[in-house]
Coordinates of all heavy atoms in Angstrom, one line a residue:
M1 N -126.9 186.4 -69.2 CA -127.7 186.3 -70.4 C -128.2 187.7 -70.8 O -128.6 188.5 -69.9 CB -128.8 185.3 -70.3 CG -129.7 185.3 -71.6 SD -130.8 183.9 -71.6 CE -129.8 182.7 -72.4
A2 N -128.4 188.0 -72.0 CA -128.9 189.3 -72.5 C -130.4 189.4 -72.2 O -131.1 188.4 -72.4 CB -128.6 189.5 -74.0
D3 N -130.9 190.6 -71.9 CA -132.3 190.8 -71.7 C -132.8 191.5 -73.0 O -132.6 192.7 -73.1 CB -132.5 191.7 -70.5 CG -134.0 191.9 -70.2 OD1 -134.8 191.1 -70.6 OD2 -134.3 192.9 -69.5
I4 N -133.3 190.7 -73.9 CA -133.7 191.3 -75.2 C -135.2 191.3 -75.4 O -135.9 190.3 -75.0 CB -133.0 190.4 -76.3 CG1 -131.5 190.4 -76.2 CG2 -133.5 190.8 -77.7 CD1 -130.8 189.4 -77.1
D5 N -135.7 192.4 -75.9 CA -137.1 192.5 -76.2 C -137.4 191.9 -77.6 O -137.3 192.5 -78.6 CB -137.6 193.9 -76.2 CG -139.0 194.2 -76.5 OD1 -139.8 193.1 -76.7 OD2 -139.4 195.3 -76.7
W6 N -137.7 190.6 -77.6 CA -137.8 189.9 -78.9 C -139.1 190.3 -79.6 O -139.2 190.0 -80.8 CB -137.9 188.4 -78.6 CG -136.6 187.8 -78.1 CD1 -136.2 187.5 -76.8 CD2 -135.4 187.6 -78.9 NE1 -134.9 187.1 -76.8 CE2 -134.4 187.2 -78.0 CE3 -135.1 187.8 -80.2 CZ2 -133.1 186.8 -78.4 CZ3 -133.8 187.5 -80.7 CH2 -132.8 187.0 -79.8
K7 N -140.0 191.0 -79.0 CA -141.2 191.5 -79.7 C -141.1 192.8 -80.3 O -142.0 193.2 -81.0 CB -142.4 191.5 -78.6 CG -142.7 190.1 -78.1 CD -143.8 190.1 -77.1 CE -144.1 188.7 -76.6 NZ -145.1 188.7 -75.6
M8 N -140.0 193.5 -80.1 CA -139.8 194.8 -80.8 C -139.7 194.6 -82.3 O -139.4 193.6 -82.8 CB -138.5 195.5 -80.3 CG -137.2 195.0 -80.9 SD -135.8 196.1 -80.5 CE -135.0 195.1 -79.3
S9 N -140.1 195.7 -83.0 CA -140.0 195.7 -84.5 C -138.6 195.6 -84.9 O -137.7 196.1 -84.3 CB -140.6 196.9 -85.1 OG -142.0 197.0 -84.8
A10 N -138.4 194.9 -86.1 CA -137.1 194.8 -86.7 C -137.2 194.6 -88.2 O -138.2 194.1 -88.7 CB -136.3 193.6 -86.1
A11 N -136.3 195.0 -88.9 CA -136.3 194.9 -90.4 C -135.1 194.0 -90.8 O -134.0 194.2 -90.3 CB -136.1 196.3 -91.1
L12 N -135.4 193.0 -91.6 CA -134.3 192.2 -92.2 C -134.2 192.6 -93.6 O -135.1 192.5 -94.5 CB -134.7 190.7 -92.1 CG -133.7 189.7 -92.6 CD1 -132.4 189.8 -91.8 CD2 -134.3 188.3 -92.5
E13 N -133.0 193.2 -94.0 CA -132.8 193.8 -95.3 C -131.7 193.1 -96.0 O -130.9 192.3 -95.5 CB -132.4 195.3 -95.0 CG -133.5 196.0 -94.3 CD -133.1 197.4 -93.9 OE1 -133.1 198.3 -94.8 OE2 -132.7 197.7 -92.8
N14 N -131.5 193.6 -97.3 CA -130.5 193.0 -98.2 C -130.7 191.6 -98.5 O -129.8 190.9 -98.8 CB -129.1 193.3 -97.7 CG -128.7 194.7 -97.7 OD1 -129.4 195.6 -98.2 ND2 -127.6 195.0 -97.1
V15 N -132.0 191.1 -98.5 CA -132.3 189.7 -98.8 C -133.3 189.7 -99.9 O -134.4 190.3 -99.9 CB -132.9 189.0 -97.5 CG1 -133.3 187.6 -97.9 CG2 -132.0 189.1 -96.3
S16 N -132.9 189.1 -101.0 CA -133.7 189.0 -102.2 C -134.9 188.1 -101.9 O -134.8 187.0 -101.5 CB -132.9 188.5 -103.4 OG -133.8 188.5 -104.5
R17 N -136.1 188.7 -102.2 CA -137.4 187.9 -102.1 C -138.1 188.0 -103.5 O -138.6 189.1 -103.8 CB -138.2 188.5 -101.0 CG -137.7 188.3 -99.6 CD -138.5 189.0 -98.6 NE -137.9 188.9 -97.3 CZ -136.9 189.7 -96.9 NH1 -136.4 190.6 -97.6 NH2 -136.4 189.6 -95.7
G18 N -138.2 186.9 -104.2 CA -138.9 186.9 -105.4 C -138.2 187.9 -106.5 O -138.9 188.5 -107.2
G19 N -136.9 188.1 -106.4 CA -136.2 188.9 -107.3 C -136.2 190.4 -106.9 O -135.6 191.2 -107.6
N20 N -136.8 190.7 -105.8 CA -136.8 192.1 -105.2 C -136.1 192.1 -103.9 O -136.2 191.1 -103.1 CB -138.2 192.6 -105.1 CG -138.9 192.7 -106.4 OD1 -138.4 193.2 -107.4 ND2 -140.1 192.2 -106.4
E21 N -135.4 193.2 -103.6 CA -134.8 193.3 -102.3 C -135.7 194.2 -101.4 O -135.5 195.4 -101.2 CB -133.4 194.0 -102.4 CG -132.4 193.0 -102.7 CD -131.0 193.5 -102.4 OE1 -130.8 194.4 -101.7 OE2 -130.1 192.9 -103.1
L22 N -136.8 193.6 -100.9 CA -137.7 194.3 -100.0 C -137.4 193.9 -98.6 O -137.3 192.7 -98.2 CB -139.1 193.9 -100.3 CG -139.6 194.1 -101.8 CD1 -141.0 193.5 -102.0 CD2 -139.6 195.6 -102.0
P23 N -137.3 194.9 -97.7 CA -137.1 194.6 -96.3 C -138.2 193.8 -95.7 O -139.4 194.1 -96.0 CB -136.8 195.9 -95.6 CG -137.4 196.9 -96.5 CD -137.4 196.3 -97.9
E24 N -138.0 192.9 -94.9 CA -139.0 192.2 -94.1 C -139.1 192.8 -92.8 O -138.1 192.9 -92.0 CB -138.7 190.7 -93.9 CG -139.7 189.9 -93.1 CD -139.4 188.5 -93.0 OE1 -138.7 187.9 -93.9 OE2 -139.9 187.8 -92.1
V25 N -140.3 193.4 -92.5 CA -140.4 194.1 -91.2 C -141.4 193.2 -90.4 O -142.5 192.9 -90.8 CB -141.0 195.5 -91.4 CG1 -141.2 196.2 -90.0 CG2 -140.1 196.4 -92.2
T26 N -140.9 192.9 -89.2 CA -141.6 191.9 -88.3 C -141.0 192.1 -86.9 O -140.4 193.2 -86.6 CB -141.4 190.5 -88.8 OG1 -142.2 189.6 -88.0 CG2 -139.9 190.1 -88.8
N27 N -141.3 191.2 -86.0 CA -140.6 191.3 -84.7 C -139.2 190.8 -84.7 O -138.9 190.0 -85.7 CB -141.5 190.7 -83.6 CG -141.7 189.2 -83.7 OD1 -140.7 188.5 -83.8 ND2 -142.9 188.8 -83.7
L28 N -138.4 191.1 -83.8 CA -137.0 190.7 -83.8 C -136.9 189.2 -83.8 O -136.1 188.6 -84.6 CB -136.3 191.3 -82.5 CG -134.8 191.0 -82.4 CD1 -134.0 191.5 -83.6 CD2 -134.3 191.6 -81.1
A29 N -137.6 188.4 -83.0 CA -137.5 187.0 -83.0 C -137.8 186.4 -84.4 O -137.1 185.5 -84.8 CB -138.4 186.4 -81.9
A30 N -138.9 186.8 -85.0 CA -139.2 186.3 -86.3 C -138.2 186.6 -87.4 O -137.9 185.8 -88.2 CB -140.6 186.8 -86.7
A31 N -137.6 187.9 -87.3 CA -136.6 188.3 -88.2 C -135.3 187.4 -88.1 O -134.8 187.0 -89.1 CB -136.2 189.7 -88.1
V32 N -134.9 187.1 -86.8 CA -133.8 186.3 -86.6 C -134.0 184.9 -87.1 O -133.2 184.2 -87.7 CB -133.3 186.3 -85.1 CG1 -132.2 185.3 -84.8 CG2 -132.9 187.7 -84.8
R33 N -135.2 184.4 -86.8 CA -135.6 183.0 -87.2 C -135.6 182.9 -88.8 O -135.1 181.9 -89.4 CB -136.9 182.6 -86.7 CG -136.8 182.2 -85.2 CD -138.1 181.6 -84.7 NE -137.9 181.2 -83.3 CZ -138.3 181.9 -82.3 NH1 -139.0 183.1 -82.5 NH2 -138.1 181.5 -81.0
A34 N -136.1 184.0 -89.4 CA -136.1 184.0 -90.9 C -134.7 184.0 -91.4 O -134.4 183.3 -92.4 CB -136.9 185.2 -91.4
W35 N -133.8 184.7 -90.8 CA -132.4 184.8 -91.2 C -131.8 183.4 -91.1 O -131.0 183.0 -92.0 CB -131.6 185.7 -90.3 CG -130.2 185.8 -90.6 CD1 -129.5 186.6 -91.6 CD2 -129.1 185.0 -90.0 NE1 -128.2 186.3 -91.6 CE2 -127.9 185.4 -90.6 CE3 -129.1 184.1 -89.0 CZ2 -126.7 184.8 -90.3 CZ3 -127.9 183.5 -88.7 CH2 -126.7 183.9 -89.3
T36 N -132.1 182.6 -90.1 CA -131.5 181.2 -89.9 C -131.9 180.3 -91.1 O -131.2 179.3 -91.3 CB -131.9 180.6 -88.6 OG1 -133.3 180.3 -88.5 CG2 -131.4 181.4 -87.4
T37 N -133.0 180.6 -91.8 CA -133.4 179.7 -92.9 C -132.8 180.1 -94.2 O -132.9 179.4 -95.2 CB -135.0 179.8 -93.1 OG1 -135.4 181.1 -93.5 CG2 -135.7 179.5 -91.8
L38 N -132.1 181.2 -94.3 CA -131.4 181.6 -95.5 C -130.2 180.8 -95.8 O -129.5 180.3 -94.9 CB -131.0 183.1 -95.4 CG -132.1 184.1 -95.1 CD1 -131.6 185.5 -94.9 CD2 -133.1 184.1 -96.3
D39 N -129.8 180.8 -97.1 CA -128.5 180.1 -97.4 C -127.4 181.0 -97.0 O -127.6 182.2 -96.7 CB -128.5 179.7 -98.9 CG -128.4 180.9 -99.8 OD1 -127.8 181.9 -99.5 OD2 -129.0 180.8 -100.9
N40 N -126.2 180.5 -97.0 CA -125.0 181.2 -96.4 C -124.8 182.5 -97.1 O -124.5 183.5 -96.5 CB -123.8 180.3 -96.5 CG -122.7 180.8 -95.6 OD1 -122.9 181.1 -94.5 ND2 -121.5 180.9 -96.2
E41 N -124.9 182.6 -98.4 CA -124.7 183.8 -99.2 C -125.7 184.9 -98.8 O -125.3 186.0 -98.6 CB -124.9 183.5 -100.7 CG -124.5 184.7 -101.6 CD -124.6 184.4 -103.1 OE1 -124.4 183.2 -103.5 OE2 -124.9 185.3 -103.8
L42 N -127.0 184.6 -98.6 CA -127.9 185.5 -98.2 C -127.7 185.9 -96.7 O -127.9 187.1 -96.4 CB -129.4 185.0 -98.4 CG -129.8 184.9 -99.9 CD1 -131.2 184.3 -100.0 CD2 -129.8 186.3 -100.6
Q43 N -127.3 185.0 -95.9 CA -127.0 185.3 -94.5 C -125.9 186.4 -94.4 O -126.0 187.3 -93.7 CB -126.6 184.1 -93.7 CG -127.8 183.2 -93.3 CD -127.3 182.0 -92.5 OE1 -126.1 181.7 -92.5 NE2 -128.3 181.3 -91.9
N44 N -124.9 186.2 -95.2 CA -123.8 187.1 -95.2 C -124.1 188.5 -95.7 O -123.6 189.5 -95.3 CB -122.6 186.5 -96.1 CG -122.0 185.4 -95.4 OD1 -122.0 185.2 -94.2 ND2 -121.3 184.5 -96.2
A45 N -125.1 188.6 -96.6 CA -125.5 189.9 -97.1 C -126.6 190.6 -96.3 O -126.7 191.8 -96.4 CB -126.1 189.7 -98.6
A46 N -127.2 189.9 -95.4 CA -128.3 190.4 -94.6 C -127.9 191.5 -93.6 O -126.8 191.4 -93.1 CB -129.1 189.3 -93.9
V47 N -128.8 192.4 -93.4 CA -128.7 193.4 -92.4 C -129.9 193.4 -91.5 O -131.1 193.5 -92.1 CB -128.5 194.8 -93.0 CG1 -128.4 195.9 -91.9 CG2 -127.2 194.9 -93.8
L48 N -129.8 193.3 -90.2 CA -130.9 193.3 -89.3 C -130.9 194.5 -88.5 O -129.9 194.8 -87.8 CB -130.8 192.0 -88.4 CG -131.9 191.9 -87.3 CD1 -133.3 191.6 -88.0 CD2 -131.6 190.8 -86.4
T49 N -132.0 195.3 -88.6 CA -132.0 196.6 -87.8 C -133.2 196.5 -86.9 O -134.4 196.6 -87.3 CB -132.2 197.8 -88.8 OG1 -131.2 197.7 -89.8 CG2 -132.1 199.1 -88.1
P50 N -133.0 196.4 -85.6 CA -134.0 196.4 -84.6 C -134.5 197.8 -84.3 O -133.9 198.8 -84.6 CB -133.4 195.8 -83.3 CG -131.9 195.9 -83.5 CD -131.7 196.0 -85.0
E51 N -135.7 197.9 -83.7 CA -136.4 199.1 -83.4 C -135.5 200.0 -82.6 O -135.5 201.2 -82.7 CB -137.7 198.8 -82.7 CG -138.5 200.0 -82.3 CD -139.8 199.6 -81.6 OE1 -140.3 198.4 -81.8 OE2 -140.3 200.4 -80.8
H52 N -134.8 199.4 -81.6 CA -133.8 200.1 -80.8 C -132.6 199.2 -80.6 O -132.7 198.0 -80.8 CB -134.4 200.7 -79.5 CG -135.1 199.6 -78.7 ND1 -134.4 198.7 -77.9 CD2 -136.4 199.3 -78.6 CE1 -135.3 197.9 -77.2 NE2 -136.5 198.3 -77.7
A53 N -131.5 199.8 -80.1 CA -130.3 199.0 -79.9 C -130.5 197.8 -79.0 O -131.3 197.9 -78.0 CB -129.2 199.9 -79.3
V54 N -129.8 196.8 -79.3 CA -129.9 195.5 -78.4 C -128.5 195.4 -77.7 O -127.5 195.6 -78.3 CB -130.1 194.3 -79.4 CG1 -130.0 193.0 -78.6 CG2 -131.4 194.4 -80.1
T55 N -128.6 195.1 -76.4 CA -127.4 195.0 -75.6 C -127.1 193.5 -75.4 O -127.9 192.8 -74.9 CB -127.5 195.7 -74.3 OG1 -127.8 197.1 -74.5 CG2 -126.2 195.6 -73.5
V56 N -125.9 193.1 -75.9 CA -125.5 191.7 -75.8 C -124.1 191.8 -75.3 O -123.2 192.5 -75.8 CB -125.5 191.0 -77.2 CG1 -125.0 189.6 -77.0 CG2 -126.9 191.0 -77.8
D57 N -123.8 191.1 -74.2 CA -122.5 191.1 -73.5 C -122.0 192.5 -73.2 O -120.9 192.8 -73.4 CB -121.5 190.3 -74.4 CG -121.8 188.8 -74.6 OD1 -122.4 188.3 -73.6 OD2 -121.4 188.3 -75.6
G58 N -123.0 193.3 -72.7 CA -122.6 194.7 -72.3 C -122.4 195.7 -73.4 O -122.1 196.8 -73.2
E59 N -122.6 195.3 -74.7 CA -122.4 196.2 -75.8 C -123.7 196.4 -76.6 O -124.3 195.4 -77.0 CB -121.3 195.6 -76.8 CG -121.0 196.5 -77.9 CD -120.0 195.9 -78.9 OE1 -119.1 195.1 -78.4 OE2 -120.0 196.2 -80.1
A60 N -124.1 197.7 -76.7 CA -125.3 198.0 -77.4 C -125.0 198.1 -78.9 O -124.1 198.7 -79.3 CB -125.9 199.4 -76.9
T61 N -125.9 197.4 -79.7 CA -125.7 197.4 -81.1 C -127.0 197.8 -81.8 O -128.0 197.2 -81.5 CB -125.3 196.0 -81.6 OG1 -124.1 195.6 -80.9 CG2 -125.0 195.9 -83.1
A62 N -126.9 198.8 -82.7 CA -128.1 199.3 -83.4 C -128.5 198.5 -84.6 O -129.6 198.6 -85.1 CB -127.9 200.8 -83.7
A63 N -127.5 197.8 -85.2 CA -127.7 197.0 -86.4 C -126.7 195.8 -86.4 O -125.6 196.0 -86.0 CB -127.6 197.9 -87.7
F64 N -127.2 194.7 -86.9 CA -126.4 193.5 -87.1 C -126.3 193.2 -88.5 O -127.3 193.3 -89.3 CB -127.0 192.4 -86.3 CG -127.1 192.6 -84.8 CD1 -128.2 193.3 -84.3 CD2 -126.2 192.0 -84.0 CE1 -128.3 193.5 -83.0 CE2 -126.3 192.2 -82.6 CZ -127.3 193.0 -82.1
S65 N -125.1 192.8 -89.0 CA -125.0 192.4 -90.4 C -124.3 191.1 -90.5 O -123.5 190.7 -89.7 CB -124.2 193.5 -91.2 OG -122.9 193.6 -90.6
G66 N -124.7 190.4 -91.6 CA -124.1 189.1 -91.9 C -124.1 188.1 -90.8 O -125.1 188.0 -90.1
Q67 N -123.0 187.5 -90.6 CA -122.9 186.4 -89.5 C -123.0 187.0 -88.1 O -123.2 186.2 -87.2 CB -121.6 185.6 -89.7 CG -121.6 184.8 -91.0 CD -122.7 183.8 -91.1 OE1 -123.0 183.1 -90.2 NE2 -123.4 183.7 -92.3
A68 N -122.9 188.3 -87.9 CA -123.2 188.8 -86.5 C -124.6 188.5 -86.1 O -124.8 188.5 -84.8 CB -122.9 190.3 -86.5
I69 N -125.5 188.3 -87.0 CA -126.9 188.0 -86.6 C -126.9 186.6 -85.9 O -127.8 186.3 -85.1 CB -127.8 188.0 -87.8 CG1 -127.8 189.4 -88.5 CG2 -129.2 187.6 -87.5 CD1 -128.4 189.5 -89.8
R70 N -125.9 185.8 -86.2 CA -125.9 184.4 -85.5 C -125.8 184.6 -84.0 O -126.3 183.7 -83.3 CB -124.7 183.6 -86.1 CG -124.7 182.2 -85.6 CD -123.6 181.4 -86.4 NE -123.7 181.4 -87.8 CZ -124.7 180.7 -88.5 NH1 -125.6 180.1 -87.9 NH2 -124.7 180.8 -89.8
Q71 N -125.1 185.6 -83.5 CA -125.0 185.9 -82.1 C -126.4 186.0 -81.5 O -126.7 185.5 -80.4 CB -124.2 187.1 -81.9 CG -124.0 187.4 -80.4 CD -123.1 188.7 -80.2 OE1 -123.0 189.5 -81.1 NE2 -122.6 188.8 -79.0
L72 N -127.3 186.7 -82.2 CA -128.7 186.8 -81.7 C -129.4 185.5 -81.8 O -130.2 185.1 -80.9 CB -129.5 187.9 -82.5 CG -129.1 189.3 -82.2 CD1 -129.9 190.2 -83.1 CD2 -129.4 189.7 -80.8
A73 N -129.2 184.8 -82.9 CA -129.8 183.5 -83.1 C -129.5 182.5 -82.0 O -130.4 181.8 -81.5 CB -129.4 182.9 -84.5
A74 N -128.3 182.6 -81.5 CA -127.9 181.7 -80.3 C -128.7 182.1 -79.1 O -128.8 181.2 -78.2 CB -126.4 181.8 -80.1
L75 N -129.2 183.3 -79.0 CA -129.9 183.7 -77.8 C -131.4 183.6 -77.9 O -132.1 183.9 -76.9 CB -129.5 185.2 -77.5 CG -128.1 185.5 -77.2 CD1 -127.8 187.0 -77.1 CD2 -127.6 184.8 -76.0
L76 N -131.9 183.2 -79.0 CA -133.4 183.1 -79.2 C -134.0 182.2 -78.1 O -133.5 181.1 -77.9 CB -133.7 182.5 -80.6 CG -133.8 183.4 -81.7 CD1 -133.9 182.6 -83.1 CD2 -135.0 184.4 -81.6
P77 N -135.1 182.6 -77.6 CA -135.8 181.7 -76.6 C -136.4 180.5 -77.4 O -136.7 180.6 -78.6 CB -136.9 182.6 -76.1 CG -137.1 183.7 -77.1 CD -135.8 183.9 -77.8
A78 N -136.6 179.4 -76.7 CA -137.1 178.2 -77.3 C -138.5 178.3 -77.8 O -139.3 179.1 -77.4 CB -137.0 177.1 -76.3

């Protein structure tokens, strides 16, 4: 299992909020949970940028886009 710092800062971008595309800056866990509540079109457009690269399955990733965020969602702690 990946050792992820869910409390690090992260920005969820390319998601329209009230007619504006303002990035949501929060912790990684909250950003991933917010992504899971979006409709499919917004999920596909979203970009998630954590404070530092996240290593999942031995691969460090500095930003996740679209459905790649689902990989993080599957690892969220309960």
Side-chain angles (χ1 to χ4, degrees):
M1 177 171 271
D3 184 24
I4 298 173
D5 176 7
W6 293 104
K7 295 179 181 179
M8 78 169 105
S9 295
L12 184 61
E13 303 173 77
N14 292 351
V15 177
S16 179
R17 292 174 186 80
N20 296 312
E21 278 194 23
L22 300 172
E24 177 177 339
V25 179
T26 184
N27 66 54
L28 181 58
V32 172
R33 284 189 179 99
W35 178 86
T36 65
T37 67
L38 299 173
D39 67 36
N40 195 50
E41 184 178 331
L42 290 175
Q43 284 182 345
N44 289 333
V47 175
L48 178 68
T49 308
E51 181 178 334
H52 53 80
V54 174
T55 302
V56 179
D57 295 332
E59 184 178 331
T61 305
F64 297 82
S65 61
Q67 293 299 316
I69 300 168
R70 189 169 306 287
Q71 182 179 19
L72 286 179
L75 298 173
L76 274 170

